[in-house]
Amino acid sequence: MAVGVFDSGLGGLTVLDAVARRLPDVPFVYLGDNAHAPYGVRTHDDIFNLTCAAVERLWQEGCDLVILACNTASAAALKRMQETWVPKDKRVLGVFVPLIEALTERQWGDNSPPREVAVKHVALFATPATVASRAFQRELAFRAIGVDVEAQPCGGVVDAIEQGDEILAEALVRSHVEALKRRMPHPQAAVLGCTHYPLMQAAFQAALGPDVKVFSQANLVAESLADYLARRPEFLGPGTQSKFLTTGDPDSVSAKATQFLRRPIRFEAA
């Protein structure tokens, strides 16, 4: 009954932590493609091929349902995967939709036409590839009209977080928020469109100010997954063990993950 969680690196551990707390009886297999991280500067074809390879590896672990806990993969590869590649007995889900549902206050499966919502000015902070894909704006347009989205590509933030350099990460966050506020001085809401960014949520909130509501993904994805599995329990795969896999060096990734989550994490070679 295992579920797979995929990320290009360590950011998806924020999602894994939340889904494991929400669904304590489900084994989760986490795969970080650390050998090829970060994805945010890669081409869409490259991201598609790497993501497919990682998802296949999780299927081998008995995970019929895989969460792409990577916004770049969700933005650049998911739609193409679902339309051309995923077989009928498997599911691959992304992390954008739960976030947009929360932002627009719409329930899962609400297929009514897009409508006006309370939030009119939204700041999106994401990797360059996620921003370039415009996937967030596309998904938002299915649900809401009249929302102005200003997107800021946050180069360097993921690298700084992966390297454990919190001071650099915070400085980059302040710089990116300042750049966005020059174009949108008064955002009502901010979307942290990368699963690494919850670790910097306090820095984003401080730079944006107390009046801006910051939306982060981990707990929203956890609730959405619990709801999905309640309705579609057949996609709980045959896997029985929780484990952490990496395409990178297991010792190095384990040390960084332990620092990242502030608890011992042991990765195995994928």
Side-chain angles (χ1 to χ4, degrees), residues 195-207:
T195 47
H196 285 75
Y197 296 175
L199 294 157
M200 293 289 115
Q201 185 161 345
F204 276 103
Q205 188 73 70

Side-chain angles (χ1 to χ4, degrees), residues 229-247:
L229 288 173
R231 289 179 290 103
R232 305 299 299 272
E234 68 271 24
F235 288 110
L236 279 167
T240 56
Q241 273 189 304
S242 291
K243 60 177 70 172
F244 297 87
L245 303 172
T246 178
T247 58

Side-chain angles (χ1 to χ4, degrees), residues 2-6 29-31 48 51-68 78 81-82 84-93 235-240 245:
V3 171
V5 178
F6 166 70
V29 181
Y30 183 89
L31 172 56
F48 176 81
T51 304
C52 288
V55 169
E56 282 191 314
R57 179 69 184 84
L58 286 166
W59 287 343
Q60 290 168 17
E61 290 290 328
C63 303
D64 290 347
L65 168 63
V66 176
I67 306 297
L68 298 188
L78 179 60
M81 291 171 75
Q82 290 173 334
T84 67
W85 185 77
V86 178
K88 285 185 169 53
D89 62 337
K90 311 284 188 198
R91 286 293 183 275
V92 180
L93 304 176
F235 288 110
L236 279 167
T240 56
L245 303 172

